[in-house]
Amino acid sequence: MIDVCEVHAGYGRHQVLRGVTWCFAAGKVTALRGSNGAGKTTLLDVMAGISSPDRGHVVRPPGGVAYVPQRTHIDPRLPLTVRDVVTMGAWQRRGAWRRVTRDDRRAVEGAMDDLGIAPLARRRLDELSGGQIQRSLVARAIVCDAPVMVLDEPMSGLDIGVRRELSEVLRRVAATGRVVVQATHDAEAAEASDEIVVLVDGRLRPHPPTRDQREQARARFA
């Protein structure tokens, strides 16, 4: 699990997180919801260790956090292939100056196959659709093999077919015993999650779907 304890954070004098406390459990997909500007990305950045809270702290498990940013934060002009992007997960886990091993390459191939992007392995980012880039970033996080995966709006701008595929992948990742947290505006993806939490006035509140809502959402994404 990953524990967020009385976290305050923001930009300068503007505080968007005001005492956020939550325990994100392993083995489930948690959807993080909230209006634009509520602080979802700020919370994910703090959880991943990308930024530090002004007050409070985060207790992370050994092995760190795999972070999947919004694909809009990735410059598609970078001279990288899909395999290059996914292999970065092995470097994050082993260290940038360590040689990629046979097991690492096997993990890369497995993740690309699982996400349906193996045929695109030699394609450059500027040749890919938004959904293909997003799947590459998720595959990179899987190869990282961190016990926690946080994703910032992974469903944004994707068609329903790709959203269904990614939702299923996230459930499989969580089933291996990892913590999976996705910030999302997608109501169906949220309802298909195991847990929903909402950022309101700088704090997290539970918003559990009903059993019928969850079953209906899972059926749509099946």
Side-chain angles (χ1 to χ4, degrees), residues 48 63-68 92 140-142 144-146 148-151 178:
V65 177
Y67 182 66
V68 181
Q92 182 176 344
R140 179 185 67 179
I142 290 174
C144 180
D145 200 29
V148 179
M149 181 188 294
V150 297
L151 308 95
R178 300 192 209 181

Side-chain angles (χ1 to χ4, degrees), residues 104-116 142-143:
D104 293 331
R105 289 191 290 270
R106 188 177 296 116
V108 168
E109 297 301 322
M112 290 193 298
D113 186 63
D114 194 38
L115 271 295
I142 290 174
V143 171

Side-chain angles (χ1 to χ4, degrees), residues 57-78:
H57 63 280
V58 177
V59 181
R60 304 176 187 87
V65 177
Y67 182 66
V68 181
Q70 294 186 44
R71 70 177 189 276
T72 52
H73 293 178
I74 304 299
D75 188 344
R77 296 170 297 179
L78 291 172

